[in-house]
Amino acid sequence: MVNLHMTNRDNILSEEEYCHYSGLPSVTFYENIEKENMQEKESKTNWHFQISLAKSFLRIIAGGVLCGGLFLIAGILLIAAEVLGIVEEL
């Protein structure tokens, strides 16, 4: 935790005291909010990563199928990868 000192004429207040008397939230308050937001992003990041792997897998298979000359199947796989991209953003 950051230890800030604010001067109030001839007294020195700690960061907690200053926030208490001024009615402002302390640095700890903002650190807790930041931690909560980071945990929320963690789960979204994991979901995003899994969808990205699925999209990449579909594109690789579509590339292989395309090399084999099966254009319809390759197109369907590429469209499925794009649909996953839309789902990922929602």
Side-chain angles (χ1 to χ4, degrees):
M1 182 174 139
V2 178
N3 189 7
L4 300 175
H5 291 287
M6 304 298 290
T7 57
N8 185 6
R9 294 194 181 173
D10 54 355
N11 296 329
I12 296 178
L13 298 175
S14 70
E15 185 251 340
E16 290 85 8
E17 292 170 329
Y18 178 79
C19 292
H20 174 73
Y21 291 119
S22 67
L24 297 172
S26 66
V27 172
T28 308
F29 173 78
Y30 290 110
E31 288 173 348
N32 290 338
I33 288 177
E34 189 174 316
K35 287 178 186 176
E36 289 175 11
N37 289 341
M38 287 176 65
Q39 289 173 355
E40 182 180 326
K41 290 179 184 176
E42 183 76 26
S43 63
K44 288 182 181 178
T45 303
N46 191 27
W47 171 254
H48 177 79
F49 178 71
Q50 290 177 355
I51 297 291
S52 292
L53 283 179
K55 289 189 312 185
S56 296
F57 183 70
L58 283 176
R59 289 180 182 138
I60 290 169
I61 292 174
V65 170
L66 190 59
C67 289
L70 301 172
F71 299 108
L72 180 61
I73 296 173
I76 291 170
L77 290 172
L78 289 172
I79 290 171
E82 290 305 314
V83 169
L84 277 178
I86 292 169
V87 170
E88 179 183 26
E89 295 302 323
L90 295 176

